[in-house]
Amino acid sequence: MTNLHDPGACTSPTILASTGTSQSCPNRLKEVFAGSRATIPMIVGAIPFGIIFGTLAEQSGLSSLGAIAMSVFVFAGSSQFIALGLLSAGTGPLIIIATTFIVNLRHLLYSAAIVDDVKHLPGPWRAVIAFGLTDESFAILADKIRKSDENWRLGSLQWFYLGSFLTMYGNWILCTVIGITLGELFPQMNSWGLDFAMSATFIGMVLPYLTTRPMLACVLVAGAMSLGTADLPHKLGLMVSAISAIAVGLSFHLASRRKKETARSKETDTAGMQTKEENK
């Protein structure tokens, strides 16, 4: 493992080849701390989310060790909450896996958005980025990439991301443990209505994105379909709602893009005709 405080280790050919950068150790630490600082405001909203997950875990049939292991190895808040609901309903493992897969399809879009920015990194770095790519870390990284130059992207991106990832990861595991402890001290917490905080959190995450027709159509379809399919067994309505919303949102997006391309083409043709008329 690289010793960030050993200048010789930081500048050795082996380390440079494995990290894909020639940046000095002090600069690496600076970027790690910068990524961590940028993530701290996001933690304010994630803390109650993690605590609620730990609180509800055992009450949903998941052991304390199982809840901690899920936070360590899965590290996906929405999927973990959905898995808890499905477990408490006695749903089979295949349905749980399929449902959480559908819910996490948004991460494909996250990956597509930054793939050009991380393709120069070695495989291990890309694996770390893929594992830790939460909504919060993606938003922070994408904003930092937009504001930075090419040199930063090639030499500092992974260290900045590492700081963000470790901050979110450590917070999520710690809050899970705190939630489990509170759940053991107050076994009736499941009757306090804390699970509504999950719905409120997702509503708060979605609202800022309702600025375009495709996003608005996606949310409306998801809401309508979830109500209409609520009685389907094994929570299959969740999968139906997610797939329907993605299909409608994508259709609106493609239609909007086609409309813009058509308008642009007409403008080009009009400009061409005006040029011809002037030449005459």
Side-chain angles (χ1 to χ4, degrees):
M1 192 171 190
T2 307
N3 182 355
L4 295 180
H5 298 284
D6 180 3
C10 287
T11 55
S12 70
T14 302
I15 297 301
L16 296 183
S18 64
T19 59
T21 178
S22 58
Q23 194 180 47
S24 65
C25 283
N27 285 337
R28 292 180 189 178
L29 283 173
K30 180 181 177 182
E31 291 297 338
V32 170
F33 287 127
S36 179
R37 285 195 303 271
T39 307
I40 289 175
M42 297 287 190
I43 287 181
V44 175
I47 286 175
F49 207 33
I51 292 176
I52 291 169
F53 169 76
T55 301
L56 299 177
E58 283 194 279
Q59 299 163 15
S60 300
L62 194 63
S63 67
S64 298
L65 184 60
I68 295 172
M70 183 178 283
S71 288
V72 170
F73 296 109
V74 177
F75 185 46
S78 56
S79 292
Q80 290 180 223
F81 271 101
I82 290 168
L84 283 185
L86 295 175
L87 281 171
S88 63
T91 306
L94 291 179
I95 297 296
I96 294 175
I97 292 172
T99 303
T100 53
F101 174 78
I102 293 296
V103 170
N104 277 330
L105 279 177
R106 69 187 188 281
H107 288 213
L108 289 176
L109 302 178
Y110 295 166
S111 300
I114 64 171
V115 65
D116 289 335
D117 299 301
V118 302
K119 63 183 179 182
H120 66 283
L121 295 173
W125 267 117
R126 294 199 300 271
V128 170
I129 292 173
F131 173 72
L133 196 61
T134 60
D135 301 304
E136 296 85 355
S137 290
F138 168 76
I140 291 167
L141 180 63
D143 183 63
K144 181 66 174 178
I145 291 172
R146 182 175 59 84
K147 296 177 179 177
S148 303
D149 57 19
E150 185 75 0
N151 290 331
W152 181 90
R153 184 182 68 81
L154 294 174
S156 303
L157 181 152
Q158 66 269 42
W159 301 107
F160 180 88
Y161 177 84
L162 183 64
S164 176
F165 160 59
L166 291 178
T167 302
M168 288 297 301
Y169 191 50
N171 170 75
W172 182 251
I173 296 172
L174 176 62
C175 289
T176 298
V177 174
I178 293 174
I180 291 171
T181 304
L182 290 176
E184 292 175 349
L185 293 174
F186 305 100
Q188 300 302 319
M189 284 186 72
N190 62 330
S191 63
W192 294 2
L194 293 177
D195 50 338
F196 174 74
M198 177 184 69
S199 302
T201 300
F202 278 112
I203 291 172
M205 289 173 62
V206 169
L207 285 177
Y209 293 95
L210 299 183
T211 57
T212 63
R213 288 184 180 179
M215 284 298 299
L216 185 59
C218 184
V219 170
L220 290 176
V221 170
M225 290 298 295
S226 63
L227 292 174
T229 59
D231 294 330
L232 290 180
H234 307 298
K235 303 289 184 179
L236 288 174
L238 184 62
M239 292 178 62
V240 174
S241 301
I243 294 172
S244 301
I246 291 172
V248 171
L250 181 60
S251 298
F252 267 77
H253 173 70
L254 294 175
S256 176
R257 188 169 67 177
R258 258 196 314 270
K259 185 177 180 181
K260 290 180 180 178
E261 290 175 351
T262 302
R264 193 179 300 117
S265 177
K266 287 182 178 179
E267 290 177 359
T268 303
D269 293 342
T270 302
M273 292 178 64
Q274 289 177 348
T275 302
K276 289 181 180 179
E277 290 293 331
E278 291 174 358
N279 291 335
K280 289 181 180 179

